[in-house]
């Protein structure tokens, strides 16, 4: 419970939420960049675009599995 209170207090004092979470979002996208171009052969813009598509596909798969689980209940 104390950790949750501390987290909520911390977020209540955060002025720029986007800036605070940027490192995590960058790391998440880097995962997909490594997936689509493990040898770093693509141009950075192309790698980023493909990574964004891979991330969207990943999110859609998660949503599909979530919907299937809800239907089972």
């Amino acid at each position: 419970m104390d950790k949750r209170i501390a987290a909520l207090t911390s977020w209540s004092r955060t002025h720029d939420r986007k800036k605070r979470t940027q490192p995590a979002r960058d790391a998440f996208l880097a995962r997909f960049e490594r997936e689509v171009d493990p040898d770093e052969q693509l141009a950075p813009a192309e790698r980023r675009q493909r990574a964004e598509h891979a991330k969207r596909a990943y999110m859609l798969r998660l949503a599909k599995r979530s919907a299937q689980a809800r239907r089972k209940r």
Side-chain angles (χ1 to χ4, degrees):
M1 181 68 97
D2 290 336
K3 290 180 183 180
R4 186 172 179 193
I5 292 169
L8 291 171
T9 301
S10 175
W11 278 111
S12 74
R13 295 178 180 155
T14 299
H15 298 289
D16 188 347
R17 296 173 66 86
K18 190 172 183 176
K19 182 179 177 185
R20 180 172 170 182
T21 59
Q22 189 65 51
R25 285 179 287 139
D26 290 343
F28 189 56
L29 187 59
R31 164 191 172 182
F32 296 103
E33 287 182 355
R34 287 189 303 273
E35 179 183 303
V36 299
D37 188 22
D39 299 324
E40 297 183 12
Q41 300 295 313
L42 298 172
E46 180 67 19
R47 183 181 318 116
R48 172 66 55 121
Q49 184 179 26
R50 289 184 187 194
E52 289 287 352
H53 288 297
K55 181 177 79 169
R56 289 180 69 189
Y58 172 81
M59 292 299 188
L60 285 172
R61 283 191 297 273
L62 284 180
K64 181 180 178 182
R65 287 181 17 207
S66 175
Q68 289 171 338
R70 285 192 309 274
R71 267 194 296 271
K72 284 183 181 180
R73 286 189 256 147

